[in-house]
Amino acid sequence: MPHARKVEQRRFEQRQLEVAQEAAGTAAMTRSAYFEAVAARQLTGYFEQVREAAELSRDLAQRMAEAGNAPRLAHMREQAFYAEMTAQLARSRHRAIAAREQLVRMLGLTSVQGTLQLPERLPELPTTPAEAHDAEQTAMDRRLDVLAAARASEAFARSLGLTRATRFVDVLGAGYVNESESREERTDGYEVHLSIPVFDFGDARLARARAGYEQTLARTADIAVKARSQVRETYSAYRTAFDLARHYRDEVVPLRKRISEEALLRYNGMLIGPFELLADAREQVGAVNAAIEAQRDFWLAESDPRTAMTIGPPRWHRRLPANARVRPSHRRRRTLTD
Amino acid sequence: MSNRRRFLANAGAVVLGTAAVSRSAMAALPDAVARTGADTQPPSAPPAGQHYTPVVTLNGWTAPFRMTDGIKEFHLVAEPVVREFAPGMTARLWGYNGQSPGPTIEAVEGDRVRIFVTNRLPEHTSVHWHGLLLPSGMDGVAGLTQPHIPAGRTFVYEFELTRPGTFMYHPHSDEMVQLAMGMMGLFVVHPRNPRHHPADRDYALLLASYDIEPGSHTPRVSTMLDFNLWSWNSRVFPGIDHLVARIGERVRMGNLSMTNHPMHLHGHVFEVTCTDGGWVPKSARWPEVTVDIGVGQMRAIEFDAVAGDWAFHCHKSHHTMNAMGHGIANLVGVDQKDIARRIQKLIPDYMAMGSRGMAEMGEMQMPLPDNTLPMMTGTGPFGALEMGGMFSVLKVRDEQRPGDYTDPGWYRHPPGSLAREWDGELPAPARAAGATPETATVDVRKPGAHDHH
């Protein structure tokens, strides 16, 4: 094979990889934009409820002030809180629009009206999380940048005219230089291999060529090590996001609901008043909001392990800037008669 | 119900107090009798010694005694107890012999008493005989007049009852905590002369205060003033038994709460005839309808009972309430119907309360936190009583037989002696010059115009 053609072959493979990564990246970005848009819309509903609770407190305080039961100061405090919540709702509504427009751009839609119908809520969590069986091995077998590095290494050997592979070495476990099998780095029950052929260089005059080949092997090993690390990290992020979303759904939200039920019992007994009850309702909505955010974070992290296993490094910092989290204060506020 | 159980079968386990006690006294301890219920025990005539008219401890009982060589022996066991404050609410307290307050100790002026105190609390204790005149070394102030009684040990007190009257007993050892946990009891010394201040019926009660957070059972022991349950004998309305009488009455009240209680009896004029300091000479008594009982004071009031159902209560109106929120918004006169509808969208089971006052609390049955009594409750023959805490009824009947303490039911009012609704013509009410009724905020119900509302 002429040298130029081999170079072209390498360039082609490199470009192929880049395109695949780009396509995967675009898909992931679009996916993210979709979940962000759905979540932002859901969260706006939350801000509406918080503002509604603040509005009720304000209205009640106003009636009390008019009836002579509370000072104007109490009414003004409730009014100030309501005003703040109104501003937050406006910001939240813009965030929902911005997230939606981001999705529109990602999808390349020309006319928004009637074409982009977002669901009311995020999809439910899967019943069980995906397990990480063979994830790292899959990355070694299928991940594009790893395969490209291995192919480049082989191509280099071929360019030197080397064809007779004497044996294979695992660039992860044993390395090229030290072929001993004692350097087991994992002890948790599975092994990951990335096998590369070792050629018989024979003549000492090929020492430079050999050094060059070793370099390609080192590069392959480096990419493979990073790939494995990324697989582990993305899986941890995935699994943590799953556990957190489930934790919010199964623990935090039901607990807050029970707290609200107890608060209502205390209200029934005139142990607390309507202002405390409304403040508690706001806190309960806050827990639901946190659950929505956790659910969204799960779906944002959901495809990363797959990307890390099959394509290349996932874009970890692709979260939309419009998604900066602003939440109303949930601290228990002073009652009117404090 | 009483159940008898023996504590400390081995007399060798008994630890002597600082004062010398005769050896025969230590041969065996008298049985410690414990009670599990909060019903009122009928008066128990003394099985030995001089006769007297025994007291009725409201929702309580009198400790049995045994005579040993002419000495009346009692056995108090300080221990954790469960006390029902009223049906639907129990408290985890410390008390004596299974209940709080502890059993009333009754004896006669001139008696010599020997009182064994076994400590089954997790910490040390002591018993101070509040108001009794006795040797300093029997006064029960741990650290000052005796060592603390360690957990698991028994001390013995022995002294002569030199003067008649109504007294109390309570710990003087980690006193703040042990009082807050309900450790107290009555100590009645009857006059040697039965014709001295006789009474046909003699009721005894101890005023105490507790702070038990709604939804919990154990009093908060660090509370200084902000109590939420005001009790007689560790009971609150509607759990306090009624006082039943025919003629002649003496009520003895001791206050071991943390504030004064102006105790008010309807329908009677009474006199304070005795304090824990002694009998009040007739010339020194004031006719009263309310007597204020300070912290650590005892008052005996006497009156001639008058037929009827008569409220008897602390006149601090918050003391006739059960646990309630004191910081909640005042919505009296605030229309919140439309707001309530909107709140129900956020909180489906929400119900607007307080716009017309709080009476709806006494009428409605709403789900409350566990182990929590309504702040005001109870029903009488004419509707909701809207009471709690320190409230009971004195039921006086002409036909109540002497010695009969059974509930005679509600009073049947003689014809013409009962308030009733008027539906006839009314003269215009006189108002102060220049006064205009605030019809804008007060819903005035005009007579003869029921549709105007």
Side-chain angles (χ1 to χ4, degrees):
Chain A
M1 197 188 294
H3 184 66
R5 197 180 148 201
K6 283 170 201 152
V7 170
E8 277 311 304
Q9 175 72 20
R10 273 199 65 187
R11 279 190 187 155
F12 174 72
E13 285 182 354
Q14 188 60 36
R15 185 66 198 134
Q16 205 177 23
L17 172 65
E18 282 168 13
V19 168
Q21 276 181 324
E22 221 166 89
T26 306
M29 291 274 281
T30 310
R31 219 179 114 79
S32 297
Y34 171 77
F35 291 128
E36 295 278 9
V38 176
R41 191 174 151 200
Q42 230 179 316
L43 290 173
T44 299
Y46 143 75
F47 275 104
E48 278 165 1
Q49 283 188 29
V50 170
R51 193 193 57 162
E52 174 69 9
E55 189 178 11
L56 288 164
S57 289
R58 178 204 64 174
D59 292 353
L60 207 49
Q62 185 176 2
R63 300 263 177 97
M64 285 179 68
E66 284 164 4
N69 295 21
R72 257 188 336 213
L73 175 64
H75 172 220
M76 287 187 290
R77 282 206 180 107
E78 296 297 336
Q79 174 76 33
F81 183 71
Y82 168 70
E84 180 58 33
M85 290 306 102
T86 302
Q88 293 217 15
L89 176 61
R91 287 190 201 106
S92 163
R93 280 181 174 150
H94 169 68
R95 277 198 296 278
I97 289 169
R100 183 190 167 90
E101 291 306 322
Q102 175 77 11
L103 179 60
V104 165
R105 288 195 294 275
M106 296 299 301
L107 293 171
L109 295 178
T110 49
S111 165
V112 178
Q113 279 73 23
T115 55
L116 184 58
Q117 201 72 30
L118 288 177
E120 290 283 318
R121 52 189 70 245
L122 292 165
E124 286 298 317
L125 289 183
T127 326
T128 49
E131 293 298 332
H133 297 312
D134 306 327
E136 292 178 46
Q137 187 57 56
T138 306
M140 295 303 97
D141 297 341
R142 292 178 54 192
R143 191 163 135 151
L144 294 178
D145 58 350
V146 174
L147 296 183
R151 273 204 296 277
S153 181
E154 281 186 58
F156 183 82
R158 277 196 299 275
S159 73
L160 296 176
L162 296 173
T163 50
R164 201 162 59 91
T166 53
R167 62 186 186 283
F168 289 81
V169 294
D170 178 9
V171 294
L172 294 169
Y176 171 70
V177 180
N178 182 353
E179 292 167 23
S180 103
E181 291 177 13
S182 62
R183 281 183 54 192
E184 290 295 327
E185 54 176 305
R186 304 295 299 244
T187 55
D188 53 0
Y190 66 93
E191 288 178 37
V192 176
H193 303 284
L194 178 59
S195 298
I196 298 291
V198 174
F199 297 96
D200 180 10
F201 285 87
D203 204 323
R205 70 189 168 82
L206 286 173
R208 272 193 69 197
R210 178 182 172 140
Y213 183 65
E214 280 176 13
Q215 230 170 18
T216 66
L217 289 195
R219 182 171 165 272
T220 303
D222 181 50
I223 288 174
V225 165
K226 284 192 174 115
R228 292 184 61 191
S229 165
Q230 285 158 3
V231 166
R232 290 195 298 270
E233 184 179 339
T234 52
Y235 184 75
S236 169
Y238 163 85
R239 187 54 205 255
T240 304
F242 179 86
D243 289 346
L244 278 175
R246 190 167 56 181
H247 175 70
Y248 272 97
R249 185 192 66 189
D250 297 346
E251 298 289 333
V252 177
V253 171
L255 182 61
R256 278 248 53 116
K257 197 163 174 293
R258 286 201 298 278
I259 289 174
S260 287
E261 286 163 5
E262 281 292 322
L264 185 64
L265 294 180
R266 294 172 89 85
Y267 170 81
N268 287 348
M270 282 204 178
L271 301 160
I272 61 170
F275 292 97
E276 291 84 354
L277 199 59
L278 286 167
D280 182 84
R282 289 198 300 267
E283 285 181 34
Q284 193 200 352
V285 181
V288 174
N289 162 65
I292 294 169
E293 288 181 337
Q295 198 179 353
R296 175 200 62 197
D297 291 348
F298 167 76
W299 287 113
L300 292 179
E302 195 259 349
S303 61
D304 285 350
R306 203 161 51 241
T307 306
M309 277 190 289
T310 57
I311 313 287
R315 294 165 180 263
W316 281 325
H317 303 294
R318 57 172 177 220
R319 295 283 294 278
L320 306 175
N323 194 48
R325 291 179 210 185
V326 183
R327 270 196 244 166
S329 157
H330 292 124
R331 75 191 154 78
R332 193 164 278 282
R333 294 165 57 250
R334 291 162 58 88
T335 63
L336 277 176
T337 45
D338 272 356
Chain B
M1 96 188 76
S2 298
N3 59 59
R4 300 171 74 81
R5 44 184 171 151
R6 280 190 79 85
F7 292 101
L8 295 176
N10 180 3
V14 171
V15 176
L16 290 179
T18 47
V21 176
S22 68
R23 184 175 296 174
S24 62
M26 299 313 300
L29 283 167
D31 284 346
V33 181
R35 275 172 70 80
T36 54
D39 48 329
T40 303
Q41 184 196 52
S44 55
Q50 189 185 322
H51 184 77
Y52 52 80
T53 305
V55 301
V56 172
T57 307
L58 268 191
N59 296 100
W61 60 303
T62 289
F65 64 86
R66 73 173 185 195
M67 291 292 267
T68 302
D69 301 335
I71 298 173
K72 285 181 177 169
E73 289 185 332
F74 298 86
H75 189 176
L76 293 178
V77 179
E79 60 186 355
V81 303
V82 173
R83 174 69 168 177
E84 187 193 64
F85 268 49
M89 195 227 160
T90 57
R92 293 189 187 134
L93 303 181
W94 290 354
Y96 298 94
N97 300 46
Q99 286 294 315
S100 162
T104 300
I105 294 175
E106 285 185 83
V108 181
E109 175 188 5
D111 279 352
R112 188 164 186 84
V113 293
R114 183 180 294 139
I115 305 169
F116 299 90
V117 177
T118 297
N119 181 7
R120 306 188 107 208
L121 298 172
E123 68 168 355
H124 62 213
T125 189
S126 76
V127 181
H128 163 58
W129 314 100
H130 182 114
L132 287 157
L133 298 186
L134 33 64
S136 175
M138 290 290 170
D139 198 37
V141 180
L144 180 66
T145 65
Q146 67 163 83
H148 296 267
I149 307 174
R153 306 292 183 79
T154 298
F155 270 44
V156 62
Y157 298 86
E158 185 172 327
F159 45 85
E160 201 178 307
L161 304 176
T162 55
R163 65 192 180 101
T166 305
F167 309 98
M168 307 181 260
Y169 64 88
H170 64 81
H172 228 293
S173 174
D174 196 12
E175 186 179 350
M176 179 198 79
V177 166
Q178 295 190 7
L179 275 177
M181 288 294 282
M183 298 195 72
M184 55 190 76
L186 286 149
F187 199 132
V188 176
V189 181
H190 296 278
R192 196 199 316 258
N193 177 1
R195 287 183 299 279
H196 186 64
H197 278 278
D200 296 296
R201 290 170 195 254
D202 194 344
Y203 286 99
L205 51 117
L206 261 178
L207 315 180
S209 46
Y210 296 92
D211 182 21
I212 301 177
E213 190 177 355
S216 72
H217 289 79
T218 309
R220 287 197 278 213
V221 295
S222 302
T223 298
M224 186 164 81
L225 296 170
D226 200 11
F227 298 95
N228 60 12
L229 288 166
W230 306 93
S231 70
W232 294 356
N233 291 346
S234 302
R235 290 284 276 188
V236 296
F237 181 83
I240 303 174
D241 279 348
H242 293 165
L243 294 79
V244 178
R246 185 183 188 209
I247 42 165
E249 185 94 353
R250 172 191 291 166
V251 179
R252 309 159 184 259
M253 295 176 286
N255 182 8
L256 280 178
S257 79
M258 289 302 141
T259 185
N260 61 312
H261 296 287
M263 300 291 287
H264 176 50
L265 174 62
H266 292 213
H268 293 78
V269 169
F270 59 75
E271 287 177 344
V272 175
T273 56
C274 190
T275 76
D276 26 9
W279 301 104
V280 181
K282 194 140 188 77
S283 59
R285 298 179 200 158
W286 292 0
E288 297 272 23
V289 296
T290 301
V291 57
D292 193 29
I293 308 184
V295 181
Q297 286 185 335
M298 172 65 67
R299 295 289 180 266
I301 65 171
E302 289 183 26
F303 52 86
D304 294 325
V306 179
D309 283 345
W310 305 109
F312 180 36
H313 58 93
C314 173
H315 215 289
K316 288 185 173 177
S317 52
H318 289 78
H319 292 188
T320 53
M321 291 282 119
N322 291 324
M324 60 178 289
H326 294 286
I328 63 176
N330 177 11
L331 294 164
V332 173
V334 178
D335 179 18
Q336 48 174 338
K337 278 193 219 73
D338 55 325
I339 293 181
R341 272 194 296 276
R342 285 159 62 202
I343 292 179
Q344 277 160 4
K345 283 182 196 154
L346 285 175
I347 308 162
D349 292 332
Y350 178 84
M351 183 180 283
M353 288 192 290
S355 288
R356 295 174 296 145
M358 290 191 180
E360 52 209 2
M361 272 301 293
E363 295 160 354
M364 283 189 295
Q365 294 284 325
M366 300 232 280
L368 298 177
D370 287 346
N371 201 41
T372 301
L373 297 168
M375 69 183 258
M376 52 196 210
T377 184
T379 308
F382 299 104
L385 270 166
E386 302 170 348
M387 286 280 138
M390 295 179 162
F391 180 92
S392 191
V393 178
L394 170 66
K395 290 176 167 173
V396 185
R397 303 287 182 272
D398 291 335
E399 64 276 16
Q400 193 81 5
R401 290 190 321 278
D404 180 7
Y405 287 82
T406 54
D407 187 339
W410 300 113
Y411 187 58
R412 285 196 297 277
H413 300 269
S417 70
L418 182 64
R420 66 190 194 281
E421 185 175 3
W422 174 257
D423 51 10
E425 285 301 308
L426 269 182
R431 291 189 189 281
T436 50
E438 248 198 279
T439 47
T441 54
V442 180
D443 190 8
V444 178
R445 192 175 176 142
K446 286 181 181 150
H450 292 277
D451 52 334
H452 177 88
H453 187 61

